[in-house]
Amino acid sequence: MTDISSDIRALYQETILDHYKHPRNFGKLESANRKAEGYNPLCGDKMVLYLEMKEDIIQAVRFEASGCAISTASASLMTEMLVGKTKGQAQALADEFHDLLMGKGEGKNLDKLIVLSGVKDYPVRIKCAILAWHALTAALKNENKVVTTE
Ligand code: ZN
């Protein structure tokens, strides 16, 4: 027997796997003028995030990563939402996503990122999901350093 919530979970699972197997905006960004690295020692997820910014607007974004499905899917979904956003809008998105994972708010501006909402029930996985966003915050602040989830 299936109910609606298990159908939604299956759909979410499918989206996460799709972004893991076929990450969007994957690879090095030669035109980048911002870069941040992220590392989640708990799971072994590693990531490099590249941003090209013109004044306050994100022009392009790419990432390189080796890690689990959750960390890769979160980064891939994140990159799909960033182009054209201002620094402030991108940071607001990061804050809203963080709140969603902490079980606060409904993430109504998060679009497809909502597929990661189930992660909030798995505290260890929250660090996987948040890694790309820590890297984003560092890149927006123009801190070229390795951020960790610890
Ligand atoms: Zn992970």
Side-chain angles (χ1 to χ4, degrees), residues 79-122:
T79 61
E80 283 197 315
M81 294 187 71
L82 292 179
V83 173
K85 295 258 191 307
T86 65
K87 191 175 158 181
Q89 287 168 336
Q91 188 55 51
L93 212 57
D95 293 342
E96 190 174 355
F97 185 66
H98 183 266
D99 282 351
L100 181 76
L101 294 182
M102 296 300 147
K104 291 182 271 177
E106 290 158 29
K108 56 183 186 304
N109 300 308
L110 292 176
D111 196 23
K112 272 194 277 176
L113 283 162
I114 205 83
V115 300
L116 290 161
S117 60
V119 170
K120 66 173 180 280
D121 297 326
Y122 305 91

Short mmCIF file of all heavy atoms in Angstrom, two decimals, residues 79-122:
data_model
loop_
_atom_site.label_atom_id
_atom_site.label_comp_id
_atom_site.label_asym_id
_atom_site.label_seq_id
_atom_site.Cartn_x
_atom_site.Cartn_y
_atom_site.Cartn_z
N THR A 79 23.35 25.17 -7.35
CA THR A 79 23.91 25.92 -8.48
C THR A 79 22.81 26.31 -9.47
O THR A 79 22.92 27.33 -10.14
CB THR A 79 25.01 25.13 -9.23
OG1 THR A 79 24.44 23.92 -9.75
CG2 THR A 79 26.19 24.83 -8.33
N GLU A 80 21.77 25.50 -9.56
CA GLU A 80 20.68 25.81 -10.49
C GLU A 80 19.92 27.07 -10.10
O GLU A 80 19.19 27.63 -10.91
CB GLU A 80 19.68 24.65 -10.53
CG GLU A 80 20.13 23.47 -11.35
CD GLU A 80 18.98 22.54 -11.69
OE1 GLU A 80 18.19 22.25 -10.79
OE2 GLU A 80 18.88 22.13 -12.85
N MET A 81 20.08 27.48 -8.85
CA MET A 81 19.26 28.61 -8.36
C MET A 81 20.03 29.91 -8.22
O MET A 81 19.44 30.93 -7.86
CB MET A 81 18.66 28.25 -7.00
CG MET A 81 17.67 27.12 -7.11
SD MET A 81 16.84 26.83 -5.55
CE MET A 81 15.78 28.28 -5.43
N LEU A 82 21.33 29.90 -8.49
CA LEU A 82 22.13 31.06 -8.10
C LEU A 82 22.35 32.12 -9.17
O LEU A 82 22.56 33.29 -8.85
CB LEU A 82 23.50 30.60 -7.57
CG LEU A 82 23.46 29.82 -6.25
CD1 LEU A 82 24.87 29.40 -5.87
CD2 LEU A 82 22.84 30.65 -5.14
N VAL A 83 22.33 31.72 -10.43
CA VAL A 83 22.67 32.68 -11.48
C VAL A 83 21.64 33.82 -11.52
O VAL A 83 20.44 33.58 -11.49
CB VAL A 83 22.78 31.99 -12.86
CG1 VAL A 83 22.98 33.01 -13.98
CG2 VAL A 83 23.95 31.00 -12.84
N GLY A 84 22.15 35.04 -11.54
CA GLY A 84 21.28 36.22 -11.57
C GLY A 84 20.94 36.75 -10.19
O GLY A 84 20.37 37.83 -10.07
N LYS A 85 21.28 35.97 -9.17
CA LYS A 85 20.99 36.43 -7.80
C LYS A 85 22.07 37.41 -7.31
O LYS A 85 23.24 37.28 -7.68
CB LYS A 85 20.97 35.24 -6.84
CG LYS A 85 19.85 34.24 -7.11
CD LYS A 85 18.72 34.41 -6.13
CE LYS A 85 17.69 33.30 -6.15
NZ LYS A 85 17.10 32.96 -7.46
N THR A 86 21.64 38.35 -6.47
CA THR A 86 22.62 39.20 -5.82
C THR A 86 23.23 38.42 -4.65
O THR A 86 22.69 37.40 -4.22
CB THR A 86 21.97 40.47 -5.24
OG1 THR A 86 21.06 40.08 -4.19
CG2 THR A 86 21.24 41.27 -6.30
N LYS A 87 24.32 38.96 -4.16
CA LYS A 87 24.97 38.39 -2.99
C LYS A 87 23.99 38.24 -1.83
O LYS A 87 23.91 37.19 -1.18
CB LYS A 87 26.10 39.36 -2.60
CG LYS A 87 27.07 38.87 -1.60
CD LYS A 87 28.17 39.93 -1.46
CE LYS A 87 28.87 39.80 -0.13
NZ LYS A 87 29.91 40.82 0.06
N GLY A 88 23.18 39.27 -1.59
CA GLY A 88 22.21 39.24 -0.50
C GLY A 88 21.12 38.19 -0.72
O GLY A 88 20.73 37.49 0.22
N GLN A 89 20.66 38.07 -1.96
CA GLN A 89 19.62 37.08 -2.27
C GLN A 89 20.16 35.66 -2.10
O GLN A 89 19.46 34.77 -1.60
CB GLN A 89 19.11 37.26 -3.70
CG GLN A 89 18.23 38.49 -3.88
CD GLN A 89 17.99 38.83 -5.36
OE1 GLN A 89 18.77 38.46 -6.23
NE2 GLN A 89 16.90 39.53 -5.62
N ALA A 90 21.40 35.45 -2.54
CA ALA A 90 22.02 34.13 -2.43
C ALA A 90 22.22 33.75 -0.96
O ALA A 90 21.94 32.62 -0.55
CB ALA A 90 23.37 34.10 -3.17
N GLN A 91 22.63 34.71 -0.16
CA GLN A 91 22.82 34.44 1.26
C GLN A 91 21.48 34.18 1.95
O GLN A 91 21.37 33.31 2.83
CB GLN A 91 23.58 35.59 1.94
CG GLN A 91 23.99 35.29 3.39
CD GLN A 91 24.82 34.00 3.52
OE1 GLN A 91 25.80 33.82 2.82
NE2 GLN A 91 24.41 33.10 4.41
N ALA A 92 20.44 34.89 1.53
CA ALA A 92 19.10 34.67 2.10
C ALA A 92 18.61 33.25 1.80
O ALA A 92 18.00 32.59 2.64
CB ALA A 92 18.11 35.69 1.54
N LEU A 93 18.94 32.77 0.59
CA LEU A 93 18.59 31.41 0.20
C LEU A 93 19.33 30.40 1.08
O LEU A 93 18.76 29.41 1.55
CB LEU A 93 19.00 31.22 -1.26
CG LEU A 93 18.20 30.29 -2.15
CD1 LEU A 93 16.73 30.69 -2.19
CD2 LEU A 93 18.80 30.29 -3.54
N ALA A 94 20.61 30.67 1.31
CA ALA A 94 21.43 29.80 2.17
C ALA A 94 20.84 29.75 3.58
O ALA A 94 20.75 28.68 4.19
CB ALA A 94 22.88 30.29 2.20
N ASP A 95 20.42 30.89 4.08
CA ASP A 95 19.85 30.96 5.43
C ASP A 95 18.52 30.19 5.49
O ASP A 95 18.26 29.47 6.46
CB ASP A 95 19.62 32.41 5.85
CG ASP A 95 20.94 33.18 6.02
OD1 ASP A 95 21.99 32.51 6.15
OD2 ASP A 95 20.90 34.42 6.01
N GLU A 96 17.72 30.33 4.44
CA GLU A 96 16.44 29.65 4.42
C GLU A 96 16.63 28.13 4.34
O GLU A 96 15.91 27.36 4.98
CB GLU A 96 15.58 30.16 3.25
CG GLU A 96 14.16 29.65 3.32
CD GLU A 96 13.23 30.25 2.26
OE1 GLU A 96 13.66 31.13 1.50
OE2 GLU A 96 12.07 29.81 2.21
N PHE A 97 17.62 27.71 3.54
CA PHE A 97 17.90 26.28 3.43
C PHE A 97 18.40 25.73 4.76
O PHE A 97 18.00 24.63 5.19
CB PHE A 97 18.93 26.04 2.31
CG PHE A 97 19.19 24.59 2.04
CD1 PHE A 97 18.19 23.77 1.53
CD2 PHE A 97 20.43 24.02 2.31
CE1 PHE A 97 18.41 22.41 1.29
CE2 PHE A 97 20.67 22.67 2.07
CZ PHE A 97 19.66 21.87 1.55
N HIS A 98 19.25 26.47 5.42
CA HIS A 98 19.75 26.07 6.74
C HIS A 98 18.57 25.90 7.72
O HIS A 98 18.49 24.90 8.43
CB HIS A 98 20.74 27.13 7.24
CG HIS A 98 21.37 26.78 8.55
ND1 HIS A 98 20.85 27.21 9.75
CD2 HIS A 98 22.44 26.02 8.85
CE1 HIS A 98 21.60 26.73 10.74
NE2 HIS A 98 22.57 26.01 10.23
N ASP A 99 17.67 26.86 7.71
CA ASP A 99 16.49 26.78 8.58
C ASP A 99 15.65 25.54 8.28
O ASP A 99 15.18 24.86 9.19
CB ASP A 99 15.60 28.03 8.42
CG ASP A 99 16.17 29.22 9.17
OD1 ASP A 99 17.14 29.05 9.93
OD2 ASP A 99 15.64 30.33 8.99
N LEU A 100 15.48 25.25 6.98
CA LEU A 100 14.70 24.08 6.58
C LEU A 100 15.30 22.81 7.18
O LEU A 100 14.60 21.95 7.71
CB LEU A 100 14.66 23.98 5.05
CG LEU A 100 13.85 22.80 4.48
CD1 LEU A 100 12.35 23.07 4.57
CD2 LEU A 100 14.23 22.53 3.04
N LEU A 101 16.63 22.70 7.09
CA LEU A 101 17.31 21.51 7.61
C LEU A 101 17.24 21.43 9.13
O LEU A 101 17.34 20.35 9.70
CB LEU A 101 18.79 21.49 7.17
CG LEU A 101 19.06 21.33 5.68
CD1 LEU A 101 20.55 21.28 5.44
CD2 LEU A 101 18.40 20.08 5.12
N MET A 102 17.08 22.58 9.75
CA MET A 102 16.97 22.60 11.22
C MET A 102 15.51 22.43 11.66
O MET A 102 15.20 22.55 12.85
CB MET A 102 17.52 23.93 11.77
CG MET A 102 18.99 24.14 11.53
SD MET A 102 19.98 22.83 12.31
CE MET A 102 21.33 22.70 11.15
N GLY A 103 14.63 22.21 10.68
CA GLY A 103 13.22 21.99 11.01
C GLY A 103 12.46 23.28 11.26
O GLY A 103 11.37 23.26 11.83
N LYS A 104 13.05 24.40 10.82
CA LYS A 104 12.38 25.70 10.97
C LYS A 104 11.93 26.20 9.60
O LYS A 104 12.72 26.22 8.67
CB LYS A 104 13.33 26.73 11.60
CG LYS A 104 13.67 26.45 13.05
CD LYS A 104 14.57 27.55 13.61
CE LYS A 104 16.03 27.21 13.38
NZ LYS A 104 16.95 28.26 13.85
N GLY A 105 10.70 26.61 9.50
CA GLY A 105 10.22 27.17 8.24
C GLY A 105 9.89 26.10 7.22
O GLY A 105 10.26 24.93 7.37
N GLU A 106 9.22 26.52 6.16
CA GLU A 106 8.77 25.56 5.15
C GLU A 106 9.59 25.65 3.87
O GLU A 106 9.36 24.91 2.94
CB GLU A 106 7.29 25.83 4.82
CG GLU A 106 6.37 25.45 5.96
CD GLU A 106 5.03 26.16 5.87
OE1 GLU A 106 4.61 26.50 4.75
OE2 GLU A 106 4.43 26.40 6.93
N GLY A 107 10.53 26.57 3.82
CA GLY A 107 11.38 26.69 2.64
C GLY A 107 10.61 27.09 1.40
O GLY A 107 10.85 26.54 0.33
N LYS A 108 9.71 28.06 1.52
CA LYS A 108 8.83 28.35 0.39
C LYS A 108 9.53 29.01 -0.80
O LYS A 108 9.02 28.99 -1.90
CB LYS A 108 7.60 29.14 0.82
CG LYS A 108 7.87 30.43 1.55
CD LYS A 108 6.51 31.05 1.97
CE LYS A 108 6.67 32.41 2.59
NZ LYS A 108 7.58 32.43 3.76
N ASN A 109 10.73 29.54 -0.59
CA ASN A 109 11.48 30.10 -1.72
C ASN A 109 12.53 29.14 -2.27
O ASN A 109 13.35 29.50 -3.11
CB ASN A 109 12.19 31.40 -1.29
CG ASN A 109 11.19 32.43 -0.81
OD1 ASN A 109 10.22 32.73 -1.51
ND2 ASN A 109 11.40 32.94 0.39
N LEU A 110 12.52 27.91 -1.77
CA LEU A 110 13.62 27.00 -2.07
C LEU A 110 13.40 26.13 -3.31
O LEU A 110 14.29 25.39 -3.71
CB LEU A 110 13.93 26.12 -0.86
CG LEU A 110 14.50 26.88 0.34
CD1 LEU A 110 14.67 25.94 1.53
CD2 LEU A 110 15.83 27.54 0.00
N ASP A 111 12.20 26.22 -3.90
CA ASP A 111 11.94 25.51 -5.14
C ASP A 111 12.30 24.01 -5.00
O ASP A 111 11.90 23.38 -4.02
CB ASP A 111 12.74 26.20 -6.26
CG ASP A 111 12.27 25.80 -7.65
OD1 ASP A 111 11.11 25.37 -7.79
OD2 ASP A 111 13.06 25.90 -8.61
N LYS A 112 13.09 23.48 -5.91
CA LYS A 112 13.39 22.04 -5.90
C LYS A 112 14.22 21.58 -4.71
O LYS A 112 14.28 20.39 -4.40
CB LYS A 112 14.14 21.66 -7.19
CG LYS A 112 13.21 21.30 -8.33
CD LYS A 112 13.95 20.62 -9.46
CE LYS A 112 14.61 21.62 -10.38
NZ LYS A 112 15.43 21.01 -11.43
N LEU A 113 14.88 22.53 -4.05
CA LEU A 113 15.70 22.17 -2.88
C LEU A 113 14.87 21.52 -1.79
O LEU A 113 15.41 20.86 -0.90
CB LEU A 113 16.38 23.41 -2.31
CG LEU A 113 17.59 23.89 -3.11
CD1 LEU A 113 17.91 25.32 -2.74
CD2 LEU A 113 18.77 22.99 -2.84
N ILE A 114 13.57 21.68 -1.88
CA ILE A 114 12.67 21.09 -0.89
C ILE A 114 12.83 19.56 -0.85
O ILE A 114 12.53 18.93 0.15
CB ILE A 114 11.22 21.54 -1.20
CG1 ILE A 114 10.37 21.51 0.05
CG2 ILE A 114 10.62 20.78 -2.33
CD1 ILE A 114 10.50 22.73 0.89
N VAL A 115 13.33 18.99 -1.95
CA VAL A 115 13.53 17.53 -1.97
C VAL A 115 14.51 17.08 -0.88
O VAL A 115 14.53 15.91 -0.50
CB VAL A 115 14.03 16.98 -3.34
CG1 VAL A 115 13.03 17.32 -4.44
CG2 VAL A 115 15.42 17.46 -3.68
N LEU A 116 15.32 18.01 -0.39
CA LEU A 116 16.29 17.65 0.67
C LEU A 116 15.72 17.84 2.08
O LEU A 116 16.41 17.62 3.07
CB LEU A 116 17.57 18.48 0.50
CG LEU A 116 18.39 18.10 -0.73
CD1 LEU A 116 19.36 19.20 -1.10
CD2 LEU A 116 19.14 16.79 -0.52
N SER A 117 14.44 18.21 2.16
CA SER A 117 13.87 18.52 3.48
C SER A 117 13.87 17.30 4.41
O SER A 117 13.97 17.45 5.62
CB SER A 117 12.45 19.07 3.33
OG SER A 117 11.62 18.12 2.68
N GLY A 118 13.79 16.10 3.82
CA GLY A 118 13.78 14.88 4.64
C GLY A 118 15.06 14.67 5.42
O GLY A 118 15.10 13.92 6.40
N VAL A 119 16.13 15.33 4.97
CA VAL A 119 17.44 15.21 5.62
C VAL A 119 17.39 15.65 7.09
O VAL A 119 18.16 15.18 7.91
CB VAL A 119 18.50 16.02 4.83
CG1 VAL A 119 19.81 16.14 5.57
CG2 VAL A 119 18.73 15.38 3.47
N LYS A 120 16.43 16.53 7.40
CA LYS A 120 16.38 17.05 8.77
C LYS A 120 16.17 15.96 9.82
O LYS A 120 16.50 16.13 10.97
CB LYS A 120 15.32 18.15 8.91
CG LYS A 120 13.89 17.70 8.73
CD LYS A 120 12.96 18.86 9.08
CE LYS A 120 11.51 18.47 8.93
NZ LYS A 120 11.05 18.50 7.52
N ASP A 121 15.65 14.82 9.37
CA ASP A 121 15.44 13.70 10.30
C ASP A 121 16.71 12.86 10.51
O ASP A 121 16.70 11.91 11.28
CB ASP A 121 14.32 12.80 9.78
CG ASP A 121 12.99 13.55 9.71
OD1 ASP A 121 12.76 14.42 10.59
OD2 ASP A 121 12.20 13.28 8.80
N TYR A 122 17.78 13.21 9.78
CA TYR A 122 19.03 12.46 9.88
C TYR A 122 20.18 13.41 10.17
O TYR A 122 20.86 13.88 9.24
CB TYR A 122 19.30 11.70 8.57
CG TYR A 122 18.15 10.81 8.17
CD1 TYR A 122 17.14 11.28 7.34
CD2 TYR A 122 18.05 9.51 8.67
CE1 TYR A 122 16.06 10.48 7.00
CE2 TYR A 122 16.99 8.70 8.34
CZ TYR A 122 15.99 9.19 7.49
OH TYR A 122 14.92 8.41 7.16
#
